[in-house]
Amino acid sequence: MKNQRMTNNMNQEKDIRWRQRFQNFEKAYTVLDKTMKIISPSEIEIMAVIQAFELSFELAWKVMKDYLESEGFDPKSPRETIKHAFQVKLVEDGHVWMDALKDRNLTVHTYDETFAKEMGLKIKNNYYPVIKCLYVKMKEWL
């Protein structure tokens, strides 16, 4: 009986943790969403798009991880988290999420104007839609 109560408390904490992390993800997503409305971004605005993507992506995979843990999974890395999230249909387009992970790792360590412009377009056309889809789905679950 005592072990059951401890297990229930741990599951409740994990459920609360993904909901709390979602609040931070929501804030970052809101900024990313605003940057997506910029029609012809300047160099500085492209940097803002990239930074908003980096933060949104980081919080997105962490909220997925926390949610998966609340469901009994135990992913250890962003890659493993994305794979599990795809398997349980938390996210669609698993390959796009994997590309986003690869590109997020590049954006953190690389800067050049041509690369930034290309990344801005990739974020707008490929990564923002999947992040938005995750946001909408998880928002409905709150």
Side-chain angles (χ1 to χ4, degrees), residues 14 56 65 89 94:
K14 288 179 179 179
S56 296
K65 182 180 188 297
K89 303 203 183 324

Side-chain angles (χ1 to χ4, degrees), residues 16-77:
I16 290 168
R17 188 169 56 216
W18 86 257
R19 292 171 189 276
Q20 289 172 334
R21 177 123 36 208
F22 179 83
Q23 292 173 349
N24 290 323
F25 169 57
E26 184 170 41
K27 291 174 189 171
Y29 168 78
T30 300
V31 173
L32 178 62
D33 186 58
K34 287 178 185 175
T35 67
M36 292 296 101
K37 294 177 172 83
I38 301 169
I39 303 301
S40 295
S42 67
E43 182 179 1
I44 291 171
E45 290 168 328
I46 291 170
M47 289 180 74
V49 167
I50 292 169
Q51 180 110 36
F53 160 70
E54 290 169 355
L55 186 56
S56 296
F57 180 85
E58 188 70 18
L59 290 167
W61 85 258
K62 287 181 178 178
V63 79
M64 283 191 271
K65 182 180 188 297
D66 289 343
Y67 175 79
L68 290 167
E69 287 175 349
S70 77
E71 295 293 308
F73 296 94
D74 191 25
K76 301 290 186 204
S77 67

Side-chain angles (χ1 to χ4, degrees), residues 53-114:
F53 160 70
E54 290 169 355
L55 186 56
S56 296
F57 180 85
E58 188 70 18
L59 290 167
W61 85 258
K62 287 181 178 178
V63 79
M64 283 191 271
K65 182 180 188 297
D66 289 343
Y67 175 79
L68 290 167
E69 287 175 349
S70 77
E71 295 293 308
F73 296 94
D74 191 25
K76 301 290 186 204
S77 67
R79 183 172 301 284
E80 200 175 313
T81 298
I82 292 166
K83 285 180 181 180
H84 281 293
F86 179 70
Q87 289 169 352
V88 301
K89 303 203 183 324
L90 178 58
V91 298
E92 298 175 19
D93 300 320
H95 63 283
V96 175
W97 279 96
M98 288 298 187
D99 289 346
L101 173 62
K102 181 184 65 145
D103 282 342
R104 190 281 321 251
N105 290 337
L106 285 175
T107 63
V108 182
H109 302 290
T110 308
Y111 183 80
D112 125 339
E113 193 175 344
T114 303

